[in-house]
Amino acid sequence: MEAFVSGAVIGGTRVQRQSLSARCSTGAQRENGQSLVSRRQLLKLVAVAPLAFGAPQVLAEDADGYSTTASGVQYKLIKKGTGKTKAKIGDLVGVRFTGSYNGRVFDDLFKTDQAFYIRVGNGSLLSGLEEILQMMYRGDRYKIILAGNLGFGPQGRKASPGKPSIPGNATLEYELELSDFPGSEEELLELSDDV
């Protein structure tokens, strides 16, 4: 069984395709010579997949302080949080963000009373935002620049009440904050004799 990483960075060098192979120890094969994988072996492979494909890899930092991931997301940390655990796929998190196109804000969740709660990796946010979210700790705030393919793509976004339309493949700017991360920090309970 093989999986491929496209556009990964290994040892400072960008590679187009890197093969990650997993060999089966059962020795069982199909008639065409392909190895059979037991459910247990498959579950082990699936368990390590986030290690191979999860966290974005950083290519470089530009003069403005923006770093770029292998997929092309540009980002920079503007406020360091106090969290000790990074968000990962499947975690419930509360986020706040502003999104703008050509300097015009089209989304602003910093003005709302509560954060927007999502499960990381479920597709509720644009793919570029999801990628950076997996690098964040509770309280972190990042400035992010998304190329069109990581934003609304070629279809863009139609206008809605109070929000402008966004053309296809538009470059978007976001400010994203991981404002809440339930269960990530040790909870403090106050104990008293007045129960």
Side-chain angles (χ1 to χ4, degrees), residues 35-184:
S35 297
L36 295 176
V37 178
S38 71
R39 285 183 185 178
R40 183 174 298 221
Q41 290 169 321
L42 181 61
L43 289 173
K44 286 180 183 177
L45 290 171
V46 171
V48 299
L51 299 175
F53 302 107
Q57 296 181 344
V58 179
L59 293 178
E61 187 174 306
D62 68 12
D64 294 327
Y66 282 90
S67 297
T68 305
T69 66
S71 69
V73 178
Q74 294 178 289
Y75 67 95
K76 72 176 172 181
L77 179 68
I78 57 173
K79 178 184 153 204
K80 179 74 177 135
T82 59
K84 295 176 178 48
T85 306
K86 281 186 183 180
K88 60 185 183 308
I89 293 177
D91 286 338
L92 177 66
V93 297
V95 297
R96 293 182 180 275
F97 60 84
T98 60
S100 63
Y101 168 66
N102 280 345
R104 186 169 177 194
V105 173
F106 57 84
D107 272 329
D108 190 350
L109 294 181
F110 285 106
K111 292 181 179 179
T112 62
D113 291 336
Q114 293 187 1
F116 177 58
Y117 284 86
I118 61 159
R119 291 260 175 216
V120 178
N122 76 349
S124 295
L125 297 177
L126 298 173
S127 62
L129 297 178
E130 291 265 1
E131 184 177 351
I132 299 303
L133 192 55
Q134 295 176 58
M135 298 170 45
M136 297 177 76
Y137 296 93
R138 186 171 54 96
D140 282 356
R141 187 182 277 199
Y142 280 80
K143 279 196 172 189
I144 302 166
I145 299 173
L146 299 178
N149 62 322
L150 298 167
F152 293 114
Q155 74 277 2
R157 188 176 89 169
K158 293 183 180 181
S160 59
K163 296 184 180 187
S165 66
I166 299 172
N169 292 318
T171 299
L172 307 174
E173 293 184 20
Y174 277 87
E175 196 166 300
L176 175 66
E177 179 179 270
L178 179 54
S179 59
D180 196 12
F181 194 169
S184 69

